[in-house]
mmCIF file of all heavy atoms in Angstrom:
data_model
loop_
_atom_site.group_PDB
_atom_site.id
_atom_site.type_symbol
_atom_site.label_atom_id
_atom_site.label_comp_id
_atom_site.label_asym_id
_atom_site.label_seq_id
_atom_site.Cartn_x
_atom_site.Cartn_y
_atom_site.Cartn_z
ATOM 1 N N PHE A 23 -4.478 18.319 15.042
ATOM 2 C CA PHE A 23 -3.615 17.146 15.072
ATOM 3 C C PHE A 23 -3.250 16.708 13.663
ATOM 4 O O PHE A 23 -4.092 16.632 12.772
ATOM 5 C CB PHE A 23 -4.313 15.993 15.796
ATOM 6 C CG PHE A 23 -3.560 14.687 15.683
ATOM 7 C CD1 PHE A 23 -2.466 14.427 16.500
ATOM 8 C CD2 PHE A 23 -3.925 13.741 14.735
ATOM 9 C CE1 PHE A 23 -1.767 13.234 16.388
ATOM 10 C CE2 PHE A 23 -3.227 12.548 14.613
ATOM 11 C CZ PHE A 23 -2.146 12.298 15.445
ATOM 12 N N GLN A 24 -1.962 16.439 13.478
ATOM 13 C CA GLN A 24 -1.494 15.947 12.194
ATOM 14 C C GLN A 24 -0.234 15.123 12.407
ATOM 15 O O GLN A 24 0.533 15.375 13.334
ATOM 16 C CB GLN A 24 -1.199 17.120 11.248
ATOM 17 C CG GLN A 24 -1.018 16.689 9.798
ATOM 18 C CD GLN A 24 -0.861 17.874 8.860
ATOM 19 O OE1 GLN A 24 0.245 18.184 8.441
ATOM 20 N NE2 GLN A 24 -1.966 18.539 8.529
ATOM 21 N N GLY A 25 -0.057 14.139 11.574
ATOM 22 C CA GLY A 25 1.120 13.289 11.684
ATOM 23 C C GLY A 25 1.681 12.933 10.319
ATOM 24 O O GLY A 25 1.021 13.108 9.288
ATOM 25 N N MET A 26 2.910 12.444 10.334
ATOM 26 C CA MET A 26 3.572 12.014 9.107
ATOM 27 C C MET A 26 4.260 10.684 9.369
ATOM 28 O O MET A 26 4.922 10.497 10.380
ATOM 29 C CB MET A 26 4.602 13.053 8.662
ATOM 30 C CG MET A 26 5.299 12.727 7.335
ATOM 31 S SD MET A 26 6.765 11.677 7.530
ATOM 32 C CE MET A 26 7.913 12.818 8.297
ATOM 33 N N ALA A 27 4.073 9.729 8.462
ATOM 34 C CA ALA A 27 4.706 8.416 8.589
ATOM 35 C C ALA A 27 5.399 8.067 7.286
ATOM 36 O O ALA A 27 4.852 8.291 6.206
ATOM 37 C CB ALA A 27 3.659 7.353 8.934
ATOM 38 N N VAL A 28 6.609 7.539 7.406
ATOM 39 C CA VAL A 28 7.378 7.112 6.241
ATOM 40 C C VAL A 28 7.285 5.594 6.144
ATOM 41 O O VAL A 28 7.485 4.883 7.136
ATOM 42 C CB VAL A 28 8.859 7.535 6.360
ATOM 43 C CG1 VAL A 28 9.652 7.049 5.145
ATOM 44 C CG2 VAL A 28 8.969 9.041 6.505
ATOM 45 N N TYR A 29 6.967 5.094 4.963
ATOM 46 C CA TYR A 29 6.827 3.647 4.749
ATOM 47 C C TYR A 29 7.795 3.170 3.673
ATOM 48 O O TYR A 29 7.972 3.831 2.649
ATOM 49 C CB TYR A 29 5.402 3.304 4.310
ATOM 50 C CG TYR A 29 4.357 3.476 5.375
ATOM 51 C CD1 TYR A 29 3.732 4.704 5.550
ATOM 52 C CD2 TYR A 29 3.988 2.421 6.212
ATOM 53 C CE1 TYR A 29 2.754 4.876 6.529
ATOM 54 C CE2 TYR A 29 3.020 2.583 7.189
ATOM 55 C CZ TYR A 29 2.408 3.814 7.344
ATOM 56 O OH TYR A 29 1.450 3.972 8.313
ATOM 57 N N GLU A 30 8.389 2.010 3.925
ATOM 58 C CA GLU A 30 9.254 1.350 2.941
ATOM 59 C C GLU A 30 8.475 0.171 2.362
ATOM 60 O O GLU A 30 8.045 -0.724 3.097
ATOM 61 C CB GLU A 30 10.544 0.857 3.583
ATOM 62 C CG GLU A 30 11.314 1.919 4.375
ATOM 63 C CD GLU A 30 11.811 3.057 3.509
ATOM 64 O OE1 GLU A 30 12.006 2.837 2.298
ATOM 65 O OE2 GLU A 30 12.007 4.173 4.037
ATOM 66 N N SER A 31 8.252 0.201 1.053
ATOM 67 C CA SER A 31 7.509 -0.864 0.388
ATOM 68 C C SER A 31 8.460 -1.759 -0.400
ATOM 69 O O SER A 31 9.241 -1.272 -1.216
ATOM 70 C CB SER A 31 6.462 -0.251 -0.558
ATOM 71 O OG SER A 31 5.800 -1.258 -1.285
ATOM 72 N N LYS A 32 8.388 -3.061 -0.142
ATOM 73 C CA LYS A 32 9.222 -4.020 -0.850
ATOM 74 C C LYS A 32 8.367 -5.182 -1.333
ATOM 75 O O LYS A 32 7.586 -5.752 -0.571
ATOM 76 C CB LYS A 32 10.344 -4.544 0.067
ATOM 77 C CG LYS A 32 11.341 -3.471 0.491
ATOM 78 C CD LYS A 32 12.462 -4.061 1.326
ATOM 79 C CE LYS A 32 13.476 -2.975 1.724
ATOM 80 N NZ LYS A 32 14.599 -3.522 2.506
ATOM 81 N N THR A 33 8.518 -5.517 -2.602
ATOM 82 C CA THR A 33 7.782 -6.622 -3.200
ATOM 83 C C THR A 33 8.761 -7.707 -3.621
ATOM 84 O O THR A 33 9.758 -7.423 -4.293
ATOM 85 C CB THR A 33 6.978 -6.161 -4.433
ATOM 86 O OG1 THR A 33 6.040 -5.162 -4.022
ATOM 87 C CG2 THR A 33 6.236 -7.328 -5.066
ATOM 88 N N GLN A 34 8.496 -8.923 -3.208
ATOM 89 C CA GLN A 34 9.353 -10.047 -3.558
ATOM 90 C C GLN A 34 9.173 -10.374 -5.031
ATOM 91 O O GLN A 34 8.089 -10.766 -5.449
ATOM 92 C CB GLN A 34 9.017 -11.272 -2.706
ATOM 93 C CG GLN A 34 9.903 -12.480 -2.953
ATOM 94 C CD GLN A 34 11.366 -12.221 -2.581
ATOM 95 O OE1 GLN A 34 11.659 -11.530 -1.628
ATOM 96 N NE2 GLN A 34 12.271 -12.785 -3.360
ATOM 97 N N PRO A 35 10.215 -10.212 -5.851
ATOM 98 C CA PRO A 35 10.068 -10.511 -7.278
ATOM 99 C C PRO A 35 9.931 -12.009 -7.504
ATOM 100 O O PRO A 35 10.460 -12.808 -6.736
ATOM 101 C CB PRO A 35 11.367 -9.971 -7.888
ATOM 102 C CG PRO A 35 12.365 -10.072 -6.781
ATOM 103 C CD PRO A 35 11.584 -9.778 -5.515
ATOM 104 N N PRO A 36 9.237 -12.416 -8.559
ATOM 105 C CA PRO A 36 9.072 -13.850 -8.849
ATOM 106 C C PRO A 36 10.378 -14.460 -9.331
ATOM 107 O O PRO A 36 11.193 -13.795 -9.977
ATOM 108 C CB PRO A 36 8.026 -13.865 -9.966
ATOM 109 C CG PRO A 36 8.196 -12.543 -10.642
ATOM 110 C CD PRO A 36 8.545 -11.581 -9.545
ATOM 111 N N LYS A 37 10.590 -15.710 -8.981
ATOM 112 C CA LYS A 37 11.752 -16.437 -9.481
ATOM 113 C C LYS A 37 11.542 -16.764 -10.955
ATOM 114 O O LYS A 37 10.463 -17.195 -11.350
ATOM 115 C CB LYS A 37 11.964 -17.730 -8.674
ATOM 116 C CG LYS A 37 12.324 -17.495 -7.199
ATOM 117 C CD LYS A 37 13.695 -16.854 -7.061
ATOM 118 C CE LYS A 37 14.074 -16.690 -5.591
ATOM 119 N NZ LYS A 37 15.410 -16.050 -5.443
ATOM 120 N N LEU A 38 12.575 -16.572 -11.741
ATOM 121 C CA LEU A 38 12.463 -16.817 -13.174
ATOM 122 C C LEU A 38 12.865 -18.235 -13.560
ATOM 123 O O LEU A 38 12.792 -18.591 -14.728
ATOM 124 C CB LEU A 38 13.333 -15.812 -13.948
ATOM 125 C CG LEU A 38 12.996 -14.335 -13.701
ATOM 126 C CD1 LEU A 38 13.917 -13.447 -14.522
ATOM 127 C CD2 LEU A 38 11.543 -14.044 -14.030
ATOM 128 N N ASP A 39 13.289 -19.028 -12.562
ATOM 129 C CA ASP A 39 13.678 -20.417 -12.860
ATOM 130 C C ASP A 39 12.490 -21.185 -13.417
ATOM 131 O O ASP A 39 11.389 -21.161 -12.871
ATOM 132 C CB ASP A 39 14.170 -21.121 -11.581
ATOM 133 C CG ASP A 39 15.435 -20.475 -11.051
ATOM 134 O OD1 ASP A 39 16.104 -19.786 -11.834
ATOM 135 O OD2 ASP A 39 15.733 -20.658 -9.862
ATOM 136 N N GLY A 40 12.715 -21.899 -14.515
ATOM 137 C CA GLY A 40 11.679 -22.753 -15.078
ATOM 138 C C GLY A 40 10.682 -22.046 -15.962
ATOM 139 O O GLY A 40 9.798 -22.677 -16.531
ATOM 140 N N MET A 41 10.810 -20.717 -16.087
ATOM 141 C CA MET A 41 9.892 -19.994 -16.957
ATOM 142 C C MET A 41 10.299 -20.162 -18.416
ATOM 143 O O MET A 41 11.481 -20.263 -18.731
ATOM 144 C CB MET A 41 9.881 -18.505 -16.595
ATOM 145 C CG MET A 41 9.247 -18.211 -15.249
ATOM 146 S SD MET A 41 9.091 -16.443 -14.978
ATOM 147 C CE MET A 41 8.275 -16.435 -13.378
ATOM 148 N N ARG A 42 9.288 -20.165 -19.291
ATOM 149 C CA ARG A 42 9.573 -20.271 -20.706
ATOM 150 C C ARG A 42 10.174 -18.974 -21.209
ATOM 151 O O ARG A 42 9.679 -17.901 -20.943
ATOM 152 C CB ARG A 42 8.287 -20.589 -21.490
ATOM 153 C CG ARG A 42 7.622 -21.884 -21.074
ATOM 154 C CD ARG A 42 6.606 -22.310 -22.110
ATOM 155 N NE ARG A 42 5.649 -21.265 -22.405
ATOM 156 C CZ ARG A 42 4.512 -21.091 -21.736
ATOM 157 N NH1 ARG A 42 4.230 -21.867 -20.710
ATOM 158 N NH2 ARG A 42 3.665 -20.147 -22.086
#
Side-chain angles (χ1 to χ4, degrees):
F23 171 80
Q24 193 174 102
M26 183 273 289
V28 179
Y29 290 88
E30 307 296 334
S31 176
K32 295 183 179 182
T33 300
Q34 183 64 36
K37 295 293 183 181
L38 302 180
D39 296 340
M41 291 187 178
R42 300 195 306 271

